[in-house]
């Protein structure tokens, strides 16, 4: 009997260079960036007028008018207007989750092709009106008589004119993500030096990848940017050592700085997935296959686990299901939300107590070969427009695996707000 | 980017003023539109010699629905083209017949008219007398080109014995609006197998074409022309120009391939891309080029070597890589290399650029026999003053002079270069190999 599922092929990807907040893309909306990113993908793979099976994407910071963001982007793009689309949102896991959704439908034979992506802007972010003001306006809208209207307006107070800006803070704790991570950093005893070294390596690896032309078929310039704006090829541990901490500042030994934490950024990414047959019929390459994925969540509010530690739980489940050990992986892509997120995750996998008590494993997952980690740079250097990170990683890793030759395996691990994690395995 | 002077000189008040002041009056040139007739009016075909090609010429015209007149005398309907078959002449005295045929015909030539003369190649002459007669045609045609007005052009095709089958394609090109800015040129043909049944409006249907430097300017125009003529265009430009490149690719339904053609592995990457995505390639246009002008004495090494790297070395390396890739470059392949007027005439401040562009001509000539063996061709196109973003940023004076010093009294458009390249890409251009076609309106420089 023929297998009921097939592995989705990753054909390629496109992203725009990531910009720092309120900089090159300050005037660009999520829809603008996602549309441009789709059009770059269309140009790369000759998809003009093509009815792709589905386009799935999302944004973390979203205007209410963008309720149908992805479909609107498709309509503005060079894809066929008959291409269906829908939005997803799983915080920083959005991009990877979108890939999972498309890959699964392809695996089930429900789609022959699909595009997964994500976009975020911290520059053109939505501002909400003050909640009490909102109530006044709703009352005003439903008022029928002049008197009712005047009564509604009488409720207006000066303070209500101050808009609510979206905050990078957990609603349940009021702590910023960085302050949450500072707790984890301290818990795992991650040193400032280790974090700075990881950050420097991220910049060096990203710069080297640009220099060798690795991104020539992964990135399309946008609004004057040709490389990620945050990239500092000449940075060094010495330079980074001079920076003052910005998170967990109550602690005199705080270690997390603006350089070993990802900056607020703007950008978009997209990945083209398909069945092998669809790709072959169009002369398109198969860089890698999407093997499997797993999500996990941790109770960071009262469960005593770090906000960004969920991937540490998801990965062993994923590996076990696929009969793999952590060391069976050739390339690791662990999203650098903060340098210490990566380091704490790796430490946790090496820690017998954590692996036994939290993960229920007999033995720790063990250490990884660090030279296989984030080999083409990651979010510390590239920036991290939340929903765009998954697509960036999937396309780059697929290309890396393709270059390394058939049978090469890659692991992706992405932590997300709300104590969640999305992880996946690709194989060339 | 309009030609304000041309538009002014053709306006009501402007044309009066221009005539009274004796100023040049550049014409609005007839340019190719898909579906438009080959010629907007009748043609006259004459002979000055044995008339070996008379039948071919008449057939080309009749197939295109052009009314053909045997000869003209006195006043009458305006002619769209004057064709003279001057093959088979043996001595300079035979040229009197050319004069006798052309004089009354040219008087009736209409706007954007075409004069096309066909002769034998002087190099194959059997005697000095015969060679003199053949070479004389060149002086005749180049001078006629300078005497013509109203956007009319004159060109000469040299047809050796046995190359009759190669004639129709070039004839159609020189009569059509595709050759609007090609004037005073001599194009030698060679005998070649010309596939039959070329589609008139989509001669490149089913073909794959690569165009370098396609993000803007002349390259973008080439990509549009090749795509309009039926080819799938792989548009290549540096990664930094990728957004513009994607726009061009999406506009024409092609694909964008971001590649710095000077990268050490550029040839391999291009080959791998073409093999994987298309299985092969039919047309390659080396258009990417840069200028880094300075007087030689002030020129640093970087200016010199960057221009050489993009304009010449990359053309050599990628062509070699394509030739080496087994079965990639199909038989019937077309390689067209963009040279420049500067490579022919030289230009002050452009020693590096002119050297690179002259080098392209040397390369094309040397490679032609090897290409012929494959049933393929390699040619150079040398643009003159072409109105692009580059020239738009020149000072007004330089630009005005640059654009007027040619027989058509105006700058060419990127589409003019593109049309010539699209023509050389056609299967029916098989008889043009190892040649340099100038698209310069018969520029006075390097003529
Ligand atoms: N404009 C003229 O009047 C004129 C006259 C004679 C010859 N030419 C020649 O025509 C060609 C096109 O000229 P244009 O006026 O359109 O110039 P342009 O500068 O507008 O376009 C040239 C294109 O080539 C690309 N390019 C440069 N280096 C490259 C590289 N290393 N790899 C890939 N792409 C690269 C550029 O990015 C650009 O998009 C050039 O070869 C030029 O020398 C132009």
């Amino acid at each position: 009997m023929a297998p009921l599922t097939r592995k989705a092929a990753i054909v390629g990807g496109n992203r725009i260079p990531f910009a720092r907040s309120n900089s090159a893309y300050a005037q660009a909306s999520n829809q603008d960036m996602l549309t441009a990113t789709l059009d770059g993908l269309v140009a790369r793979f000759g998809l003009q007028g093509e009815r792709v099976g589905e386009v799935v994407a999302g944004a973390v910071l979203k205007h209410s008018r963008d309720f149908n963001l992805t479909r609107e982007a498709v309509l503005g793009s060079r894809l066929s207007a008959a291409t269906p689309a829908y939005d997803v949102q799983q915080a920083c896991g959005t991009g990877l989750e979108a890939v999972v959704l498309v890959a699964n439908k392809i695996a089930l034979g429900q789609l022959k092709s699909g595009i997964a992506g994500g976009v975020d802007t911290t520059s053109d972010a939505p501002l909400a009106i003050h909640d009490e003001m909102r109530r006044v306006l709703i009352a005003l809208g439903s008022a029928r008589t002049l008197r009712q209207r005047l009564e509604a307006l009488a409720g207006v107070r000066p303070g209500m004119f101050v808009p609510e800006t979206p905050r990078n803070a957990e609603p349940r704790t009021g702590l910023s993500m960085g302050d949450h991570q500072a707790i984890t950093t301290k818990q795992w005893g991650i040193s400032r030096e280790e974090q700075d070294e990881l950050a420097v390596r991220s910049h060096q690896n990203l710069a080297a990848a640009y220099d060798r032309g690795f991104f020539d078929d992964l990135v399309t310039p946008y609004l004057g940017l040709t490389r990620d704006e945050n990239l500092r090829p000449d940075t060094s541990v010495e330079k980074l050592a001079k920076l003052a901490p910005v998170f967990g500042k109550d602690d005199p030994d705080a270690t997390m700085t603006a350089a070993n934490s990802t900056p607020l950024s703007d950008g978009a990414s997209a990945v083209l997935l398909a069945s092998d047959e669809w790709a072959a019929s169009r002369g398109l390459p198969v860089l890698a296959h999407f093997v499997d994925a797993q999500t996990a969540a941790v109770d960071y509010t009262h469960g005593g686990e770090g906000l960004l530690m969920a991937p540490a739980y998801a990965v062993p489940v994923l590996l076990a299901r696929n009969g793999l050990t952590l060391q069976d992986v050739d390339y690791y892509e662990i999203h650098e939300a903060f340098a210490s997120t990566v380091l704490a995750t790796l430490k946790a996998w090496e820690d017998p107590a954590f692996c036994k008590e939290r993960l229920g494993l007999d033995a720790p997952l063990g250490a990884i070969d660090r030279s296989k980690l984030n080999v083409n740079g990651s979010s510390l250097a590239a920036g991290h427009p939340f929903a765009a990170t998954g697509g960036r990683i999937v396309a780059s890793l697929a290309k890396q695996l393709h270059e390394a030759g058939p049978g090469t395996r890659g692991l992706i691990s992405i932590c997300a707000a709300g104590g969640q994690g999305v992880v996946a395995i690709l194989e060339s | 980017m309009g030609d304000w002077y041309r538009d002014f000189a053709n306006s009501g008040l402007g044309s009066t003023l221009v005539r009274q002041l004796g100023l040049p009056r550049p014409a609005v040139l007839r340019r190719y539109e898909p579906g438009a007739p080959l010629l907007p009016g009748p043609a006259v075909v004459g002979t000055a010699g044995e008339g070996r090609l008379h039948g071919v010429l008449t057939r080309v015209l009749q197939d295109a629905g052009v009314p053909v007149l045997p000869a003209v005398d006195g006043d009458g309907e305006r002619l769209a083209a004057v064709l003279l078959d001057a093959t088979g002449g043996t001595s300079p005295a035979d040229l009197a017949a050319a004069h006798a045929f052309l004089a009354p015909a040219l008087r009736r030539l209409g706007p954007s008219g075409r004069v096309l003369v066909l002769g034998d190649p002087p190099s194959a002459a059997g005697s000095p007398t015969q060679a003199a007669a053949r070479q004389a045609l060149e002086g005749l045609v180049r001078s006629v080109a300078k005497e013509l007005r109203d956007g009319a052009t004159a060109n000469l095709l040299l047809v050796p014995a046995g190359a009759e089958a190669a004639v129709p394609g070039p004839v159609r090109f020189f009569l059509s609006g595709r050759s609007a800015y090609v004037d005073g040129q001599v194009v030698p043909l060679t005998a070649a197998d010309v596939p039959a049944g070329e589609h008139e409006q989509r001669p490149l249907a089913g073909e794959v074409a690569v165009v370098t430097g396609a993000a803007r300017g002349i390259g973008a125009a080439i990509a549009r022309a090749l795509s309009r003529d039926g080819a799938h265009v792989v548009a290549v430009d540096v990664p930094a120009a990728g957004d513009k490149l994607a726009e061009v690719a999406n506009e024409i339904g092609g694909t964008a391939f971001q590649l710095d053609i000077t990268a050490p592995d550029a040839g391999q990457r291009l080959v791998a891309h073409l093999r994987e995505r298309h299985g092969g390639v039919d047309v390659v246009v080396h258009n990417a080029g840069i200028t880094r002008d300075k007087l030689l004495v002030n020129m640093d090494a970087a200016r010199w070597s960057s221009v050489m790297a993009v304009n010449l070395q990359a053309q050599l390396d990628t062509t070699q890589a394509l030739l080496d890739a087994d079965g990639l470059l199909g038989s019937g392949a077309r390689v067209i290399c963009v040279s420049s007027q500067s490579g022919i005439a030289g230009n002050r401040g452009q020693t590096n650029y002119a050297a690179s562009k002259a080098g392209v001509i040397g390369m094309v000539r040397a490679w032609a026999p090897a290409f012929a063996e494959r049933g393929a061709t390699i040619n150079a196109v040398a643009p003159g003053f072409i109105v692009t973003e580059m020239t738009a940023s020149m000072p007004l004076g330089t630009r005005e002079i640059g654009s007027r010093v040619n027989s058509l009294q105006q700058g060419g458009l990127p589409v003019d270069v593109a049309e010539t390249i699209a023509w050389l890409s056609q299967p029916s251009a098989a008889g043009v190999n190892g040649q340099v076609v100038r698209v310069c309106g018969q520029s006075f420089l390097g003529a």
Side-chain angles (χ1 to χ4, degrees):
Chain A
M1 204 178 87
L4 289 174
T5 64
R6 56 188 178 186
K7 281 178 185 144
I10 294 154
V11 172
N14 184 50
R15 68 178 178 95
I16 54 177
F18 293 168
R20 289 177 66 96
S21 191
N22 289 312
S23 176
Y25 303 163
Q27 307 301 322
S29 68
N30 276 337
Q31 193 182 323
D32 294 338
M33 290 192 285
L34 187 58
T35 307
T37 302
L38 289 175
D39 275 343
L41 193 75
V42 167
R44 184 159 299 140
F45 296 106
L47 304 176
Q48 300 89 359
E50 183 92 39
R51 197 171 80 196
V52 171
E54 243 168 27
V55 180
V56 185
V60 173
L61 296 179
K62 221 167 152 181
H63 290 269
S64 54
R65 64 163 186 263
D66 283 342
F67 64 96
N68 218 359
L69 171 67
T70 309
R71 172 67 182 145
E72 288 299 329
V74 166
L75 284 171
S77 79
R78 300 296 302 244
L79 290 167
S80 159
T83 301
Y86 63 94
D87 283 25
V88 291
Q89 212 270 44
Q90 197 177 26
C92 308
T94 302
L96 184 54
E97 190 60 57
V99 172
V100 174
L101 293 167
V102 172
N104 285 353
K105 281 202 185 182
I106 291 171
L108 288 173
Q110 294 171 356
L111 292 179
K112 291 192 175 78
S113 64
I115 294 172
V119 56
D120 255 297
T121 169
T122 50
S123 307
D124 183 40
L127 293 183
I129 50 171
H130 195 280
D131 209 46
E132 286 168 36
M133 177 67 117
R134 189 177 61 88
R135 285 177 217 278
V136 168
L137 291 177
I138 289 172
L140 192 62
S142 57
R144 282 153 196 260
T145 63
L146 179 62
R147 200 196 144 111
Q148 284 173 335
R149 276 191 206 113
L150 289 175
E151 271 174 13
L153 281 171
V156 175
R157 299 279 173 276
M160 295 184 193
F161 286 101
V162 180
E164 289 183 357
T165 48
R167 292 176 309 151
N168 190 1
E170 287 300 325
R172 282 171 195 283
T173 61
L175 282 184
S176 75
M177 196 179 265
D179 287 332
H180 263 290
Q181 180 59 33
I183 301 169
T184 309
T185 308
K186 192 165 173 79
Q187 229 167 37
W188 286 98
I190 312 288
S191 74
R192 167 81 183 260
E193 291 70 36
E194 277 179 282
Q195 295 175 52
D196 286 353
E197 275 166 24
L198 191 95
V200 168
R201 212 160 34 244
S202 185
H203 284 277
Q204 287 170 344
N205 286 349
L206 185 70
Y210 269 111
D211 289 344
R212 72 183 165 97
F214 182 75
F215 291 114
D216 284 3
D217 58 359
L218 292 171
V219 175
T220 304
Y222 185 59
L223 301 183
L225 275 195
T226 57
R227 290 187 175 196
D228 304 309
E229 203 175 13
N230 191 55
L231 174 60
R232 300 281 176 277
D234 56 354
T235 193
S236 67
V237 175
E238 294 70 42
K239 279 186 196 165
L240 297 198
K242 298 199 185 93
L243 298 175
V246 292
F247 297 117
K249 282 189 291 189
D250 295 346
D251 182 346
D253 301 326
T255 56
M256 294 172 56
T257 67
N260 60 38
S261 312
T262 47
L264 288 178
S265 22
D266 306 339
S269 68
V271 182
L272 177 62
L273 296 109
S275 68
D276 286 0
E277 297 73 33
W278 189 92
S281 71
R282 282 163 178 75
L284 295 177
V286 173
L287 300 180
H289 285 102
F290 193 90
V291 177
D292 199 1
Q294 179 68 39
T295 56
V298 295
D299 184 358
Y300 64 98
T301 49
H302 11 60
E305 189 49 273
L307 175 71
L308 301 180
M309 289 302 281
Y313 292 75
V315 164
V317 177
L318 180 68
L319 290 172
R321 184 162 65 231
N322 288 274
L324 298 171
T325 70
L326 187 60
Q327 291 69 31
D328 289 334
V329 172
D330 300 294
Y331 292 101
Y332 304 85
E333 282 289 340
I334 305 183
H335 160 52
E336 298 165 342
F338 303 89
S340 63
T341 318
V342 179
L343 295 164
T345 303
L346 293 176
K347 260 198 162 159
W349 287 336
E350 290 173 35
D351 186 62
F354 177 87
C355 288
K356 187 165 177 19
E357 289 155 24
R358 305 274 171 120
L359 304 181
L361 301 175
D362 296 338
L365 275 76
I368 67 160
D369 177 351
R370 289 288 192 90
S371 69
K372 297 173 173 179
L373 173 66
N374 299 346
V375 294
N376 296 306
S378 185
S379 305
L380 286 171
H384 171 43
F386 313 117
T389 290
R392 171 185 71 73
I393 294 178
V394 169
S396 308
L397 177 63
K399 179 169 177 183
Q400 176 66 31
L401 298 176
H402 183 65
E403 283 189 351
T408 314
R409 191 176 293 124
L411 174 70
I412 300 172
S413 160
I414 295 180
C415 57
Q420 306 208 77
V422 190
V423 305
I425 294 172
L426 310 185
E427 195 176 302
S428 62
Chain B
M1 253 165 300
D3 183 335
W4 67 269
Y5 178 76
R6 184 201 60 200
D7 295 343
F8 171 72
N10 285 288
S11 67
L13 170 72
S15 68
T16 317
L17 211 63
V18 157
R19 207 164 326 129
Q20 280 169 1
L21 296 174
L23 292 174
R25 203 173 155 206
V28 179
L29 304 181
R30 169 169 68 93
R31 290 192 166 88
Y32 174 74
E33 294 285 345
L38 180 67
L39 287 169
V44 60
V45 182
T47 53
E50 66 187 15
R52 169 161 65 89
L53 300 173
H54 191 274
V56 182
L57 295 179
T58 313
R59 217 166 26 252
V60 169
L61 292 165
Q62 283 169 346
D63 286 353
V66 177
V68 182
L69 312 177
V72 290
D73 213 351
D75 288 346
E77 193 184 352
R78 295 282 239 166
L79 300 172
V82 174
L83 290 90
L84 173 63
D85 175 6
T87 53
T90 49
S91 79
D94 295 337
L95 290 168
H99 168 244
F101 166 74
L102 287 174
L106 294 190
R107 232 173 259 130
R108 280 175 48 181
L109 192 65
S112 287
R114 297 286 188 262
V115 175
L116 187 59
V117 178
L118 296 93
D120 298 297
S123 55
S127 69
T129 307
Q130 199 177 34
R134 292 178 175 187
Q135 188 78 36
L137 286 175
E138 211 176 298
L140 167 70
V141 171
R142 288 193 201 276
S143 302
V144 165
K146 293 193 176 187
E147 290 180 8
L148 294 176
R149 286 292 171 263
D150 253 357
T153 64
N155 293 283
L156 172 65
L157 290 176
L158 299 178
V159 187
E164 289 71 22
V167 169
V171 167
R172 279 195 298 267
F173 169 71
F174 279 106
L175 297 183
S176 76
R178 287 179 184 268
S179 65
Y181 200 60
V182 184
D183 196 10
Q185 295 302 294
V186 179
V187 179
L189 304 183
T190 46
D193 288 333
V194 179
E198 181 173 291
H199 191 281
E200 191 190 312
Q201 278 181 43
R202 293 177 68 79
L204 307 180
E207 298 199 356
V208 174
V210 172
V211 180
T212 69
R216 63 177 209 183
I218 295 173
I222 297 168
R224 288 187 190 105
L226 296 181
S227 160
R228 176 204 63 198
D229 287 353
H232 173 91
V233 175
V234 179
V236 175
D237 212 299
V238 289
D243 41 354
K244 291 266 179 299
L245 188 69
E247 277 175 33
V248 172
N250 282 342
E251 177 196 323
I252 63 173
T255 43
F257 183 41
Q258 302 185 157
L259 176 74
D260 180 343
I261 55 164
T262 64
D265 58 350
Q268 283 156 268
R269 278 159 73 179
L270 183 62
V271 165
H273 182 87
L274 291 170
R275 216 189 267 295
E276 175 161 61
R277 300 280 287 272
H278 306 286
V281 62
D282 305 289
V283 177
V284 179
V285 183
H286 294 298
N287 162 78
I290 59 170
T291 53
R292 296 287 182 271
D293 297 358
K294 272 273 182 223
L295 292 180
L296 180 70
V297 290
N298 300 327
M299 188 176 299
D300 55 30
R303 276 173 203 271
W304 181 269
S305 50
S306 59
V307 167
M308 281 295 169
V310 178
N311 296 8
L312 183 55
Q313 194 61 48
Q315 292 201 15
L316 281 161
D317 292 347
T318 39
T319 307
Q320 188 62 55
L322 293 168
L323 286 169
D324 290 346
D326 240 359
L328 192 76
L329 206 56
S331 74
R334 301 277 182 266
V335 175
I336 297 111
C337 307
V338 176
S339 175
S340 167
Q341 166 171 292
S342 295
I344 297 169
N347 199 13
R348 186 179 152 85
Q350 290 199 317
T351 47
N352 51 354
Y353 182 76
S356 72
K357 293 296 187 179
V360 166
I361 293 173
M363 171 186 82
V364 160
R365 288 185 178 145
W367 242 325
F371 273 74
E373 268 173 42
R374 295 172 166 247
T377 68
I378 181 166
N379 290 288
V381 167
F385 188 94
I386 305 298
V387 184
T388 62
E389 283 166 59
M390 196 174 82
T391 56
S393 62
M394 285 179 172
L396 180 71
T398 320
R399 190 171 74 223
E400 271 309 300
I401 292 169
S403 65
R404 303 291 166 217
V405 290
N406 58 70
S407 296
L408 294 171
Q409 301 173 331
Q410 57 189 294
L413 302 180
V415 69
D416 296 326
V417 182
E419 294 292 9
T420 301
I421 288 171
W423 159 57
L424 289 169
S425 304
Q426 293 174 1
S428 61
V432 186
N433 188 20
Q435 302 306 320
V436 184
V437 180
R438 296 184 62 175
V439 183
C440 62
Q442 197 179 31
S443 168
F444 303 160
L445 307 175

